[in-house]
Amino acid sequence: MGRPVPAFTPDLFADDVLLDPYPHYRQLRDLGPLVWLEAQQVYVLPRYEEVRAALRDAETYRSGRGVGLNDLVNERGRGTTLASDGRAHDVQRQLLFGPLTPKSLVPLRASVERLADDLVAGLVARGECDAVADLARALPLTVVPDLVGWPAESRANLLPWAAAGFDVLGPMNGRAQRALPAFGELLEFTGQVASKEGFAPDGVGARLLAAARRGEIAPEQVGPLVLDYLVPSMDTTISAIGSAVWLFARHSEQWSAVRAEPELIPRAFNEVLRLESPIRCFSRVTTRETTVGEHTLPAGARVVLHYASANRDERCFTAPDEFDVRRENVGGQLGFGLGTHNCAGQGLARIEAHAVLAALARRVARISAGEPVRGLNNLINHLTALPVTLHPAAERAEPAGPAASPGPPTRCPV
């Protein structure tokens, strides 16, 4: 039967924990590779090696029964790319993300870089701004809805709706309950747009409508699949860009390194994803009994795969709480997941974030930040406000372009 699984008593989704989570994540990791969460009555994998292995083992750790932490939303989400397995998942993912390969996104890169440069130039001219409202949200709120073909006149509610979509994936606490009406509005509105074929031509929504007409998916799947792309592609990117600005403001020597060597930008962005993982966790359900360390994990168990804890695992990353844009093994970070259910929109997220950081590196010598305001969301780690001063630098003659992102390591160095 294996050794008894240690238990963790504090609620990982309580306000005080979400506002200062990392000491709690360290306590989880110290307890062992498999821990029982008393508050949620589920298991959690808090360490890097076990989370990485679970993400790569889609036969044992399945998503089809939902990836959230409450039955209500898990039932409603079944059949989406997030909550499906096997052939059904592959078909939906290809329909949704197939045309958004890294190669197909190349033409978009130039326009995103121009948008980012114009945006940063305007903010530098102002001097002071909110790095979340004025910078981090700008590109995702423009680029992603355009790719989806979301109605231009109906974008004002996208951010609160998207935040609700992540809140309801947590445990059914007060925060999730308060988010249910907004989540319902999002589902209802998206369903109406789909039924009226109201998505702009050539976008993700129009492509899914065409697939429904061909009988490749059911018509009622169009709306939920659109949300599979829209919601994660906005919030995760906004979170990561906001965190990047905050980290560079706190660590001027790291910003100087990036400005001196813009080819560090992809590695630096991976380090941001590692240190301030946009998505805290998702869950899976085991299909069979399996062994985790010296513990036995039973079949049919719901297990939290904790990306944010794994990404700070001292067993994998040296000085894991430090921000280091030259970190060698950071390509293995799990901020965008891994395996069958890795974040398929990460190519676009990287284009947007790299473009913003490159524009800042050209135009900003130093970033001064005031006190950040950390948001409270069950699954998304994010800042809601960050007042900054962008201190201008002499513009370089040639734009600073990011190099290719370093790939994941073959193993995690201990």
Side-chain angles (χ1 to χ4, degrees):
M1 293 295 292
R3 294 182 60 185
V5 177
F8 184 79
T9 303
D11 182 357
L12 282 181
F13 299 90
D15 288 5
D16 61 329
V17 175
L18 294 182
L19 292 172
D20 186 22
Y22 300 114
H24 299 276
Y25 298 166
R26 180 179 287 273
Q27 291 174 32
L28 276 178
R29 295 191 301 271
D30 287 346
L31 284 172
L34 180 68
V35 179
W36 176 253
L37 295 181
E38 288 281 1
Q40 280 73 47
Q41 295 289 289
V42 296
Y43 294 95
V44 61
L45 301 178
R47 294 180 181 176
Y48 181 93
E49 182 180 346
E50 287 74 24
V51 173
R52 182 180 174 86
L55 288 170
R56 295 174 68 89
D57 185 1
E59 291 302 314
T60 302
Y61 297 88
R62 304 287 272 182
S63 301
R65 287 171 59 181
V67 298
L69 286 171
N70 68 83
D71 292 337
L72 174 64
V73 174
N74 280 336
E75 283 298 321
R76 294 189 70 175
R78 285 197 185 193
T80 61
T81 55
L82 196 62
S84 59
D85 298 301
R87 175 63 180 163
H89 171 75
D90 294 342
V91 169
Q92 292 171 0
R93 188 174 171 112
Q94 179 61 30
L95 281 171
L96 192 56
F97 299 109
L100 298 174
T101 62
K103 183 178 179 180
S104 68
L105 289 172
V106 169
L108 182 65
R109 186 189 302 273
S111 63
V112 170
E113 289 174 350
R114 285 194 296 271
L115 285 171
D117 197 60
D118 289 345
L119 172 66
V120 170
L123 295 178
V124 171
R126 282 170 50 182
E128 296 181 354
C129 66
D130 186 320
V132 178
D134 299 325
L135 180 62
R137 291 175 182 166
L139 261 64
L141 274 175
T142 299
V143 176
V144 177
D146 284 350
L147 279 177
V148 168
W150 193 266
E153 69 279 5
S154 303
R155 299 186 179 185
N157 290 326
L158 278 178
L159 278 180
W161 279 349
F166 280 107
D167 261 334
V168 299
L169 284 170
M172 192 48 70
N173 52 18
R175 193 175 298 108
Q177 292 173 20
R178 291 189 294 272
L180 281 172
F183 181 60
E185 291 172 6
L186 174 60
L187 292 176
E188 181 179 1
F189 181 81
T190 309
Q192 291 174 355
V193 175
S195 65
K196 297 176 183 177
E197 301 198 357
F199 298 111
D202 302 323
V204 170
R207 188 167 66 248
L208 291 171
L209 287 171
R213 289 193 293 271
R214 294 192 300 267
E216 297 173 15
I217 57 173
E220 60 269 19
Q221 287 182 281
V222 172
L225 287 173
V226 165
L227 296 183
D228 271 3
Y229 186 85
L230 181 72
V231 173
S233 296
M234 287 196 310
D235 275 281
T236 54
T237 310
I238 292 168
S239 166
I241 294 174
S243 292
V245 176
W246 179 58
L247 287 167
F248 280 122
R250 294 175 61 209
H251 302 278
S252 58
E253 78 289 351
Q254 300 294 316
W255 183 238
S256 296
V258 166
R259 293 200 69 239
E261 301 177 58
E263 60 271 20
L264 286 173
I265 286 174
R267 188 182 299 274
F269 184 59
N270 273 336
E271 176 71 342
V272 172
L273 295 173
R274 183 195 69 80
L275 198 63
E276 292 290 336
S277 303
I279 295 178
R280 305 179 200 280
C281 58
F282 281 129
S283 74
R284 302 285 193 271
V285 174
T286 55
T287 59
R288 54 197 174 205
E289 183 180 286
T290 188
T291 300
V292 179
E294 298 181 347
H295 309 297
T296 299
L297 183 58
R302 185 161 291 278
V303 189
V304 176
L305 311 187
H306 212 295
Y307 307 159
S309 175
N311 274 338
R312 291 201 181 207
D313 189 354
E314 49 284 320
R315 295 156 193 81
C316 177
F317 301 102
T318 302
D321 296 327
E322 294 182 8
F323 181 48
D324 180 4
V325 299
R326 299 182 187 277
R327 189 179 295 275
E328 287 297 325
N329 64 333
V330 74
Q333 58 78 27
L334 303 174
F336 282 145
L338 187 72
T340 302
H341 283 273
N342 74 83
C343 177
Q346 66 177 287
L348 176 60
R350 292 183 187 279
I351 286 174
E352 293 174 289
H354 293 178
V356 168
L357 291 176
L360 287 169
R362 284 194 298 275
R363 297 181 178 274
V364 177
R366 183 168 56 89
I367 304 168
S368 300
E371 194 66 27
V373 179
R374 187 165 292 280
L376 285 169
N377 187 283
N378 279 328
L379 291 197
I380 287 288
N381 167 43
H382 70 301
L383 301 176
T384 58
L386 178 63
V388 298
T389 300
L390 302 177
H391 302 274
E395 188 172 353
R396 296 187 176 115
E398 294 295 328
S405 176
T410 55
R411 67 180 184 87
C412 178
V414 177

